[in-house]
């Protein structure tokens, strides 16, 4: 490929692209189990030269596992990998890199104390040369592929979106003939996605093959030629884009979708353009629902970031019972700080957050919980669960002092387990059992768990941030349904999301957050994508 | 530094496969490991020209052959269990209490001080005072580290290690300047009053009644960690501090309290050594209780249930191994090497167990 | 020599064993392996360093063998915690016991029971021409045995390696985020193996320093807790060579100053003077070193396929 | 007592006694390789083996908290003379002695204790007696008039040594400055080296060490000192540590004491008090690196001590 010096592979071990029918990559009969979980069952996969190959399927279908096997991160129980027609023994990422394989991982893999350039050059070459050349090269790549990022910035000071771009830059910098992108778009804005696709088209034009994993049908249909669908650890089928349509692909991905496909699903699929999705029953009379008193009132809220600078600067909000307030914005404009401050997790510097009239600023998190505030954090692995603890433990978390689960001063584990079992059932959490570690669940199921815990508290205020990121269609729909339920029960919902589809679908009203300030407010249906895009980019109302 | 996450895998599932089956499956690898350890250690002992069979007979039987061997083992079990718990409780929140030694010593010093100053008080008054003094001293000592950790983010390994060194001098000062006993022949305080001494149970020789107290503490720890919300919060905070905080748990406070509780147990161990064993505070009385306590805590994976069991095993090993000198004449250093071998093989038992489990699955 | 020069010289010598052992601790720790066997490895280094010097008549050989034995123990820690993924703490403590036992046992086998203490010549002072004539600091800094210069070189060398080279960048990433490092082809296990081995070697040399500089012979209590202190000083120095050196210097200064106070016959109980270095270190930690952080994955074993650990 | 049955094997020195030969077990706090206090114990055991046909065994590196158990085990194994070498074991010895009236115990002390059980011999090491001549010697040998004492832990016996030296300085009319310091540890040679270096740098030209293994460090420090700077040792001959700066050592011989006790036991005595003195068990090594006149003077002092002409007060009050 053009981009990046090809540091990894030597020319003897990996001859140049083989012309003709030889496939740059075939995987056959790959099986992999984790304990009792059969993540891959005789899976196969084939990649042609110069194609963008979509890999889709529900959460836990085995996409990541398959690619991790290819990248040497997981050792398969059985199976064969051929690169350029020759059997490849890939035992570690290093072997994979030597075979010209690069991977953008589903979860950020960065040394957060390192700068961008340090993260990018890690493991490349032994040249002791300073990082200036590397930084220049990164800037070039950023420009070429529209992946704006400051090479000198420390990674942990960057927004999730920027960090995602760093992951892509890492692979581009190394150069690769086979490029695996595992949900690379989950933190990117639509514009960033378009830029990425443009880059990918350029890359494949040079003969590089790309595996593209996503849950967004629109994206897959937009960029991929062929699409392989995985289910239950197998490749179900491979279709060409021209042979199918969005709905057909969606059915393949998660099984037959019922005929009552709503606009929700359309949005979840990423089928509709922003702003087009007008709810079928806009009748659900927003004003009526929102007619009550303000449940959540935020005034002049200032919240510091981890670095101590104000990341939220004087925000005023009011959310009524039964209203969903959407907060739009590009990642890194204070969303995390706002969400955490609204949930009572991050102390505000000044201002007030009133729930049913009581100002909670300055109180301990547990007081916020008792006041009825529930929070669904953005990073569910890091902030949502006790990974090494059981599902049962996780469902109890936060309610351990509640009288519902205590008897005689002690935790009544029988009742807790009973409750866990019913919750697992009602929320359809896929787990080997209530005692399985929560960290082993798939993302969709972790999200169900987090939601179950949040709703268990019968919240009056619900704060969600990017609640469907990385979730498959069914799981996303599940989340939407729960949000609707909460709203209907009279909960005040704050939905902070970078996904405009999602916001358009769920929010009764939308504010745009830019640089820690609310720069615009729109009622449902009263905006278009361009207008929002301008606001999100910081163009002021009055400008 | 972040801790290895120690969960109690079986804490939440009191009713799963039959208890016996689980115990056997749990214990079998350890037995295998011990056998392996003995084989390897035996080879080393034989190579040095000593009788390995006799050496092992000593290790395994010293604790049971005579009444005082058993007494001695139980007597060692008390501080080992307390220090192991004092290590594992903070460890559950990912904090390392390396200060058990210092907490024991200041606890012993305070206990001895009270026992000397109020020597004439009757037992019913003095004994509780002595024990409370020890516990409080341990609390203060760990409290310093906890304060530095909670308020100033000073790493607790650093502070507890340094405080150990300070505690040596605290005891030294008390034993040589304040309540010096000129006849002791070692830096030791005077003896405490009779009322400060714990009654013995069983015997003769019998074990001091601190055994019951330590047993009660161990049971209470099991109860608290498994059945109370405080215990749940402790484990949650250790498993994922961020998620715990988001769900209303004050992680730093939990950690501070855990460290202080750990110190209290160390101080208690010191007080019991004074009022149950030595009748005074003596320089060197901590021996290697701290290191063994850490090892016990880690081998037991932080489980309050297993700590007393492992502590008993280690007490047998300690008592038996140090008797090997007497019975077979192996040099003192060999004892350490054999203990190290046994430890390493005990750890290997996890690997063995893991491999076995994988084979089964 | 004036008094300042004497004290400065004593301080420089006193900081060396702490410095070497702490740098050894740091090196493994930066790759994620936390050693707690310093006290034992130093004792073994002292024993072997002395015995080999005694047997061969060459302190150089003694130091090299002490380094090799330390490396072996470091490697054992690295291997057991990567290949077998055994708990770092327990393995470290087991190795502490083994090394402590071995140290005495080797002495017993080689020397045995004697009426007089066997001795070797301690390392001679090597004065650095010109530099040693600098007023005040000359003799304090440039009239020392080779191990002092070695420690200085190691400090600077490690700093340069860790913070100015790609290999150092790669190394540190293993202790910060082994999964990220692994995914970029950095060999996590190999890095942990060599850093623990080299770290162990430094601890071995730190141990050998004691008989070869302070006593000329090996005794059981020669390390006397310095290994445990090395752990504390590594935290004190925030796991960075330059601050570890500063921390060791500070600690040694406090130590020497406290000794000075006692020797001068000051009317303060010796126990109070003897705790000065420890208390001062804690106080400094509160006010000055609060930025200090530890490698993110310090003490954690890495399992490529695990998601929960 | 419960005779342990398995009499075949014995540890340490081995050797099997016959008939009513004593079976002696010793408990040491250090290792027999220390060329110091423990080694002296071993020598005494070996002499007993030779002279009294005793069967001997010992345990090394016994820590104070373990002492009682080890003693009980020896009693249970049928040893009839049990010796704890080191005053830190005194309490444990008395405790076990009370439980085993048929066994004779030998304990060490630095005082004449009260309430000693019938079956316990108390060996009083009388360190203050030993140190008195060192004071005289130091006064005579010091040119700078600065004398130091380097101790380990501020134990009462250590204070008695300091006071004995003070008494000697006073008796000999010396106006030397005397600085006692303690390293905090008898066995840390590194600390001892650092202390000694500073004492020497501070102008002290005679240093009296009262250490165990720490002494090697102190002597290393004196190695580079100017000629005329001298150091003394304790327990064993340590002249090889620094021949040029070696003054003398107060030598302790426990075989004499053990011999005497064993003989008394053979005569049916089961206990008593035995103070070590310049007649018995203590001797001053011939001073080196000083004039003959000084040597003669000190020898005279030693004779007077032995004959009781000079009385040294055992003063254990803390040194300020
Ligand atoms: N390291 C692991 N340990 C245990 N189980 C695992 C591990 N990795 C994956 N699994 C399990 O294997 C199955 C397949 O997971 P995989 O990550 O491949 O799914 P996926 O298709 O990538 O899902 P998603 O769309 O959510 O990313 C899941 O059930 C998952 O829980
Ligand atoms: N830290 C991790 N390392 C490896 N695998 C992980 C990790 N976290 C999650 N996984 C697993 O990878 C598989 C990928 O699918 P999964 O749906 O779980 O993640 P995800 O939903 O995509 O997570 P996210 O929503 O954060 O993107 C899942 O089985 C998930 O459990
Ligand atoms: Mg995935
Ligand atoms: Mg996903």
């Amino acid at each position: 490929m053009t981009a990046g010096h090809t540091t990894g592979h030597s020319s003897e071990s990996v001859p140049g692209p083989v012309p003709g029918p030889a496939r740059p990559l075939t995987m056959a009969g790959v099986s992999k189990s984790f304990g009792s979980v059969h993540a891959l069952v005789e899976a196969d996969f084939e990649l042609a030269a110069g194609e963008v190959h979509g890999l889709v399927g529900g959460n836990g279908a085995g996409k990541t596992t398959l690619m991790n096997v290819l990248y040497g991160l997981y050792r398969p129980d059985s199976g064969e990998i051929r690169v350029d027609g020759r059997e490849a023994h890939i035992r570690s990422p290093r072997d994979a890199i030597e075979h010209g394989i690069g991977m953008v991982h589903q979860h950020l893999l960065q040394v957060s104390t390192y700068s961008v350039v340090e993260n990018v050059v890690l493991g490349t070459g032994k040249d002791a040369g300073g990082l200036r050349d590397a930084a220049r090269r990164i800037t070039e790549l950023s420009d070429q592929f529209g992946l704006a990022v400051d090479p000198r910035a420390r990674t942990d000071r960057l927004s999730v979106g920027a960090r995602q771009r760093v992951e892509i830059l890492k692979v581009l910098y190394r150069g690769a003939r086979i490029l695996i992108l595992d949900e690379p778009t989950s933190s990117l804005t639509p514009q960033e996605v378009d830029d990425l696709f443009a880059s990918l088209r350029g890359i494949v034009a040079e003969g590089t093959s790309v595996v593209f994993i996503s849950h967004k049908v629109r994206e897959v249909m937009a960029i991929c030629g062929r699409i392989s669908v995985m289910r239950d650890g197998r490749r179900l089928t491979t279709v060409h884009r021209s042979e199918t349509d969005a709905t057909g692909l969606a059915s393949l991905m998660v099984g037959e979708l019922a005929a009552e496909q709503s606009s929700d699903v359309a949005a979840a699929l990423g089928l509709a353009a922003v702003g087009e999705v007008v709810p079928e029953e806009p009748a659900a009379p927003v004003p009526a629902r929102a007619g009550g008193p303000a449940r959540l009132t935020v005034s002049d809220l200032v919240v510091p970031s981890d670095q101590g600078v104000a990341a939220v600067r004087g925000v005023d909000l009011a959310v009524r019972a039964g209203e969903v307030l959407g907060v739009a914005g590009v990642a890194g404009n204070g969303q995390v700080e706002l969400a955490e401050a609204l949930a009572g997790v991050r102390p505000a510097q000044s201002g007030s957050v009133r729930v049913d009239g009581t100002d909670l600023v300055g109180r301990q998190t547990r007081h916020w919980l008792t006041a009825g505030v529930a929070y669904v954090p953005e990073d569910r692995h890091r902030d949502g669960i006790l990974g090494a603890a059981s599902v049962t433990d996780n469902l109890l978390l936060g309610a351990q002092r509640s009288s519902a689960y205590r008897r005689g001063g002690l935790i009544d584990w029988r009742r807790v387990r009973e409750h866990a079992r019913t919750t697992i059932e009602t929320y359809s959490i896929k787990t080997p059992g209530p005692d399985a570690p929560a960290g082993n669940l798939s993302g969709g199921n972790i999200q169900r768990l987090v939601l179950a815990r949040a709703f268990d508290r019968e919240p009056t205020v619900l704060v969600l941030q990017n609640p469907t990121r990385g979730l498959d269609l069914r799981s996303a729909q599940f989340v939407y349904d729960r949000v609707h339920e909460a709203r209907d029960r009279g909960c005040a919902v704050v939905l902070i999301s970078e996904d405009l589809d999602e916001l358009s679908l769920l929010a009764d009203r939308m504010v745009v957050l830019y640089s820690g300030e609310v720069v615009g407010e729109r009622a449902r249906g009263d905006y278009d994508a361009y207008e929002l895009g301008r606001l999100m980019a910081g163009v002021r109302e009055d400008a | 530094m972040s801790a290895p996450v120690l969960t109690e895998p079986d804490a939440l599932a009191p009713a799963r496969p039959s208890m016996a089956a689980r115990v056997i499956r749990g214990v079998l690898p350890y037995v295998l490991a011990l056998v392996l350890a003995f084989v390897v250690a035996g080879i080393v002992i034989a190579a040095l020209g000593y009788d390995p069979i006799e050496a092992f007979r000593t290790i395994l039987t010293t604790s049971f052959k005579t009444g005082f061997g058993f007494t001695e083992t139980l007597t060692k079990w008390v501080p080992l269990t307390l220090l192991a718990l004092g290590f594992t409780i903070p460890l559950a929140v990912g904090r390392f209490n390396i200060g058990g030694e210092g907490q024991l010593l200041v606890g012993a010093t305070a206990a001895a001080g009270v026992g000397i100053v109020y020597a004439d008080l009757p037992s019913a008054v003095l004994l509780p005072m002595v024990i409370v003094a020890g516990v409080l001293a341990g609390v203060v000592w760990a409290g310093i580290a906890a304060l530095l950790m909670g308020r100033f983010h000073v790493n607790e390994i650093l502070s507890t290690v340094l405080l150990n060194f300070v505690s040596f001098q605290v005891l030294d000062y008390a034993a040589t300047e304040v309540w010096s006993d000129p006849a002791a022949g070692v830096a030791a305080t005077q003896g405490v009053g009779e009322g400060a001494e714990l009654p013995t149970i069983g015997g003769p020789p019998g074990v001091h009644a601190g055994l019951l107290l330590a047993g009660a503490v161990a049971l209470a720890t099991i109860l608290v960690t498994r059945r109370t919300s405080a215990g749940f919060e402790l484990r949650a905070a250790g498993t994922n501090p961020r998620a715990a905080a988001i769900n209303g748990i004050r992680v730093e406070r939990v950690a501070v309290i855990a460290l202080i509780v750990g110190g209290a147990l160390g101080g208690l161990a010191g007080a019991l050594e004074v009022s149950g064993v030595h009748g005074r505070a003596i320089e060197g009385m901590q021996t290697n209780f701290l290191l063994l306590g850490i090892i016990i805590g880690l081998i037991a994976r932080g489980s309050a249930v297993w700590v007393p069991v492992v502590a008993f095993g280690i007490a047998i090993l300690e008592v038996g191994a140090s008797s090997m000198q007497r019975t077979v004449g192996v040099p003192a250093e060999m004892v350490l090497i054999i203990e190290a071998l046994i430890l390493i093989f005990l750890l290997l038992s996890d690997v063995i167990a893991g491999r076995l489990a994988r084979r089964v699955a | 020599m004036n008094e300042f020069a004497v004290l400065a010289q004593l301080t420089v010598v006193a900081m060396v064993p702490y410095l070497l052992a702490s740098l050894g601790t740091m090196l493994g720790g930066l790759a994620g392996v936390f050693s707690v066997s310093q006290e034992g490895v130093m004792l073994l280094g002292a024993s072997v360093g002395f015995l080999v010097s005694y047997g061969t008549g060459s302190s150089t050989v003694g130091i090299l063998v002490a380094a090799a034995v330390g490396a072996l123990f470091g490697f054992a820690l690295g291997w057991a915690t990567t290949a077998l993924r055994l708990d770092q703490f327990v393995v470290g403590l087991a190795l502490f016991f083994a090394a402590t036992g071995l140290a005495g046992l080797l002495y017993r086998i080689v020397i045995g029971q004697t009426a007089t203490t066997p001795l070797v010549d301690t390392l001679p002072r090597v004065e650095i021409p010109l530099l040693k004539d600098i007023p005040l600091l000359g003799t304090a800094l440039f009239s020392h045995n080779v191990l002092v210069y070695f420690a200085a070189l190691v400090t600077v060398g490690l700093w340069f390696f860790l913070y100015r080279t790609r290999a150092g960048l790669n190394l540190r990433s293993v202790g910060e985020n082994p999964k990220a490092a692994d995914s970029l082809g950095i060999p996590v296990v190999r890095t942990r193996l060599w850093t623990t081995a080299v770290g162990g070697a430094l601890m071995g040399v730190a141990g050998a320093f004691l008989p070869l500089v302070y006593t000329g012979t090996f005794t059981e209590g020669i390390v006397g807790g310095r290994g445990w202190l090395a752990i504390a000083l590594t935290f004190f120095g925030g796991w960075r060579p330059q601050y570890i050196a500063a921390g060791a210097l500070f600690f040694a200064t406090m130590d020497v100053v406290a000794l000075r106070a006692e020797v001068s016959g000051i009317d303060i109980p010796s126990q109070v003077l003897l705790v000065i270095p420890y208390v001062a270190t804690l106080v400094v930690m509160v006010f000055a070193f609060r930025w200090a952080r530890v490698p993110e994955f310090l003490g954690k074993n890495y399992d490529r396929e695990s998601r929960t650990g | 007592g419960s005779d342990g049955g398995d009499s075949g094997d014995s540890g340490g020195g081995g050797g099997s006694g016959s008939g009513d030969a004593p079976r002696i077990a010793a408990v040491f706090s250090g290792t027999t390789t220390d060329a110091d206090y423990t080694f002296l114990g071993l020598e005494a055991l070996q002499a007993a083996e030779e002279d009294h046909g005793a069967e001997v065994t010992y345990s090394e590196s016994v820590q104070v908290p373990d002492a009682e158990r080890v003693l009980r085990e020896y009693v249970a194994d049928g040893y009839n003379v049990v010796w704890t070498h080191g005053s830190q074991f005194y309490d444990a010895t008395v405790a076990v002695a009370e439980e085993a009236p048929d066994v004779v115990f030998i304990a060490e002390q630095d005082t004449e204790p009260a309430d000693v059980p019938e079956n316990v011999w108390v060996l009083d090491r009388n360190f203050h007696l030993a140190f008195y001549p060192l004071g005289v010697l130091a006064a005579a040998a010091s040119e700078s008039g600065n004398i130091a004492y380097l101790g380990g832990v501020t134990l009462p016996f250590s204070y008695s040594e300091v006071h004995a030296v003070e008494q000697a300085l006073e008796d000999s009319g010396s106006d030397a400055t005397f600085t006692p310091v303690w390293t905090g540890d008898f066995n840390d040679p590194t600390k001892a080296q650092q202390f000694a270096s500073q004492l020497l740098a501070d102008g002290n030209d005679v240093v009296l060490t009262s250490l165990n293994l720490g002494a090697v460090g102190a002597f290393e420090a004196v190695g580079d000192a100017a000629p005329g700077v001298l150091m003394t040792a304790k327990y064993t001959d340590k002249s090889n540590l620094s021949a040029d700066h070696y003054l003398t050592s107060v030598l302790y011989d426990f075989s004499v004491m053990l011999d005497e006790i064993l003989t008394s036991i053979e005569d049916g005595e089961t206990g008593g008090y035995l103070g070590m003195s310049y007649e018995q068990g203590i001797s001053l090594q011939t001073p080196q690196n000083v004039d003959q006149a000084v040597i003669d003077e000190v020898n005279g002092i030693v004779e007077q001590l032995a004959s009781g002409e000079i009385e040294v007060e055992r003063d254990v009050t803390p040194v300020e």
Side-chain angles (χ1 to χ4, degrees), chain A residues 129-430:
Chain A
L131 296 177
R132 196 161 308 155
D133 294 346
R136 197 172 311 126
R137 175 86 195 114
I138 291 167
T139 313
E140 273 169 40
L141 286 171
S142 319
D143 293 347
Q144 184 180 350
F145 296 108
L147 298 162
V149 58
D150 171 12
R152 292 275 160 206
R154 233 177 88 142
T155 333
D156 59 359
R157 311 254 156 106
L158 296 177
S159 68
V160 184
R163 295 185 72 162
Q164 187 89 54
R165 295 196 286 276
V166 173
E167 289 297 278
I168 299 169
L169 282 169
K170 267 160 67 172
V171 181
L172 294 178
Y173 183 85
R174 280 162 179 74
R177 296 178 314 112
I178 298 171
L179 186 56
I180 307 162
L181 303 171
D182 194 352
E183 303 191 25
T185 57
S186 55
S187 308
L188 301 185
T189 62
Q191 180 56 41
E192 288 170 328
V193 172
D194 286 348
D195 293 344
L196 174 69
F197 285 180
S199 326
L200 286 183
R201 290 195 184 95
I203 290 168
V204 292
E206 310 281 337
T208 298
S209 311
V210 176
V211 181
F212 180 82
I213 301 177
S214 172
H215 291 289
K216 296 260 177 189
V217 174
R218 177 176 57 191
E219 292 174 1
V220 174
M221 295 296 281
I223 186 76
C224 300
R226 294 189 305 156
I227 300 150
S228 289
V229 183
M230 290 194 72
R231 195 182 298 166
D232 298 333
R234 286 169 234 266
R235 182 179 60 86
L236 196 64
T237 180
T238 300
V239 294
H240 196 275
R241 172 174 32 176
S242 57
E243 299 161 11
T244 186
D245 61 8
T247 333
L249 183 60
S251 318
L252 281 173
M253 281 162 71
V254 294
E256 277 318 309
L257 280 169
E260 92 288 357
Q261 267 183 48
S262 64
S263 58
D264 286 14
V265 175
L269 288 171
L271 292 176
V274 178
E276 284 171 11
V277 186
V278 180
E280 275 149 23
E281 15 80 71
V286 178
R289 273 203 321 264
R295 289 219 104 147
L296 173 72
T297 324
V298 178
S299 54
D300 204 19
L301 187 68
V302 179
V303 188
S305 71
D306 287 339
Q307 282 77 42
V309 297
V312 172
R313 305 185 296 165
V315 163
D316 297 300
L317 299 170
V319 191
R320 298 172 201 284
E323 187 188 23
V324 179
L325 174 72
V327 178
V330 178
N333 277 289
Q335 285 97 331
V336 176
E337 289 82 1
L338 177 64
E340 291 185 352
L342 293 185
V345 174
R346 180 185 293 264
Q349 195 171 306
S350 62
S352 68
V353 177
R354 285 172 202 283
V355 173
D356 290 331
T358 318
D359 187 2
L360 294 172
V361 166
R363 316 273 294 271
Q364 298 287 344
T365 308
R366 61 201 160 92
H367 296 131
W368 293 66
L369 292 177
T370 28
V373 179
Y375 174 42
V376 176
E378 167 181 49
D379 188 335
R380 45 189 171 266
H381 286 107
R382 190 189 62 181
D383 295 347
I385 54 161
L386 311 172
S390 67
V391 171
T392 309
D393 272 356
N394 272 283
L395 286 169
L396 176 66
L397 181 62
Q400 68 274 6
R401 289 189 184 269
S402 136
S403 56
Y405 303 115
R406 302 224 302 182
R407 206 178 45 194
L410 300 178
I411 295 180
D412 183 354
W413 282 109
R414 201 134 58 101
R415 205 174 315 165
V416 172
R417 292 167 63 82
E418 221 161 79
H419 171 75
R421 255 190 295 269
T422 50
T423 309
I424 287 170
E425 213 161 284
T426 41
Y427 283 79
S428 315
I429 299 173
K430 232 175 90 184

Side-chain angles (χ1 to χ4, degrees), chain A residues 467-496:
Chain A
T468 62
R469 173 180 291 169
L471 295 193
D472 67 19
L473 304 178
R474 279 184 192 287
S475 300
Q477 179 65 53
F478 180 84
V479 173
Y480 296 158
D481 290 346
R482 298 286 86 70
V483 171
H484 284 147
E485 265 173 38
R487 177 199 65 192
D488 294 344
R489 270 212 320 264
C491 191
V493 181
V494 179
L495 172 68
I496 302 171

